[in-house]
Amino acid sequence: MNPHDTDVQPLAITAGAPSAAVKQRTLSAIDGVRQLPPGLPAPAPAPAKRTGRVLRRGVGRFVPVACLAAVVSLAGLAVWQHEQSEQSARRARQAYEQLEAVSGLLAAPDARTAHARAANGALITVVASGLRNVAVLTVAGLPAPAPGTTYQLWMDVDGSMRPAGFINGDGTVPLRGSPVTATAVGLTVEPAGGSARPTTDPLLLMALPV
């Protein structure tokens, strides 16, 4: 893919700091992480009461087995809760780091924005800073990818398309790579898991605003 070989052109490139609307739209697009306590399993129904000699004979064997089952169940629940807590904490850290990166980028004195519409109708906004050497991409109106496929982002560096991340719904993602050395951003549909090189025609190819 080459920026000069496509009909998709950026709609606008705005010099100077991004507008307040762009800042709000970009920050709002970052998914929040809701940390909810894991749900506890519903209590098992109480066993039906039995009377007589058979019940008394079975109590001695049942109690140790029931205690062991309860211990194993609680141990498994504790491990699951720990894993869920670790995952929630990791997602929270990632969201916070992403928010910090986007906020810092929007405040950069040389931040520039560019807007374009992809072939599938999605509206793309890219904000980049040469001083921070960071670029983020925000998407609105992106259709869900077909089963078994994903949207992959690219950066054009000296005519070679380099993988720059993935996005499969409306939101904001940082672009992997340097906006200083790249000249354009591309978007293609690739097999799930991504590709080392683009395998389909670009839905979008727009110049970086740096």
Side-chain angles (χ1 to χ4, degrees), residues 1-97:
M1 298 191 305
N2 188 302
H4 302 292
D5 298 334
T6 178
D7 294 332
V8 182
Q9 298 294 330
L11 300 182
I13 296 179
T14 305
S19 67
V22 169
K23 290 184 179 181
Q24 184 61 41
R25 202 162 51 239
T26 303
L27 291 172
S28 298
I30 301 176
D31 293 330
V33 176
R34 295 182 61 195
Q35 300 188 43
L36 299 178
L40 296 178
K49 292 184 178 180
R50 300 178 59 185
T51 59
R53 184 175 300 174
V54 175
L55 177 60
R56 289 195 296 273
R57 286 202 305 267
V59 169
R61 295 190 299 272
F62 174 75
V63 170
V65 174
C67 290
L68 179 60
V71 170
V72 172
S73 176
L74 289 174
L77 178 60
V79 171
W80 181 82
Q81 287 178 325
H82 177 73
E83 292 176 349
Q84 290 294 105
S85 177
E86 286 292 313
Q87 292 175 4
S88 295
R90 184 165 54 252
R91 287 194 296 268
R93 286 195 300 270
Q94 291 172 348
Y96 177 78
E97 291 170 357

Side-chain angles (χ1 to χ4, degrees), residues 25-188:
R25 202 162 51 239
T26 303
L27 291 172
S28 298
I30 301 176
D31 293 330
V33 176
R34 295 182 61 195
Q35 300 188 43
L36 299 178
L40 296 178
K49 292 184 178 180
R50 300 178 59 185
T51 59
R53 184 175 300 174
V54 175
L55 177 60
R56 289 195 296 273
R57 286 202 305 267
V59 169
R61 295 190 299 272
F62 174 75
V63 170
V65 174
C67 290
L68 179 60
V71 170
V72 172
S73 176
L74 289 174
L77 178 60
V79 171
W80 181 82
Q81 287 178 325
H82 177 73
E83 292 176 349
Q84 290 294 105
S85 177
E86 286 292 313
Q87 292 175 4
S88 295
R90 184 165 54 252
R91 287 194 296 268
R93 286 195 300 270
Q94 291 172 348
Y96 177 78
E97 291 170 357
Q98 183 174 340
L99 179 60
E100 286 288 294
V102 173
S103 299
L105 170 62
L106 294 175
D110 68 329
R112 300 290 186 274
T113 63
H115 309 280
R117 192 170 294 279
N120 60 5
L123 179 62
I124 311 292
T125 298
V126 174
V127 183
S129 165
L131 291 176
R132 299 292 175 88
N133 198 26
V134 173
V136 298
L137 180 142
T138 298
V139 180
L142 186 67
T149 66
T150 184
Y151 290 113
Q152 188 163 359
L153 299 165
W154 307 87
M155 276 195 176
D156 185 348
V157 180
D158 297 329
S160 175
M161 301 308 292
R162 311 279 180 87
F166 302 91
I167 189 164
N168 286 315
D170 292 355
T172 296
V173 294
L175 291 168
R176 190 167 67 241
S178 170
V180 175
T181 58
T183 57
V185 175
L187 175 70
T188 62

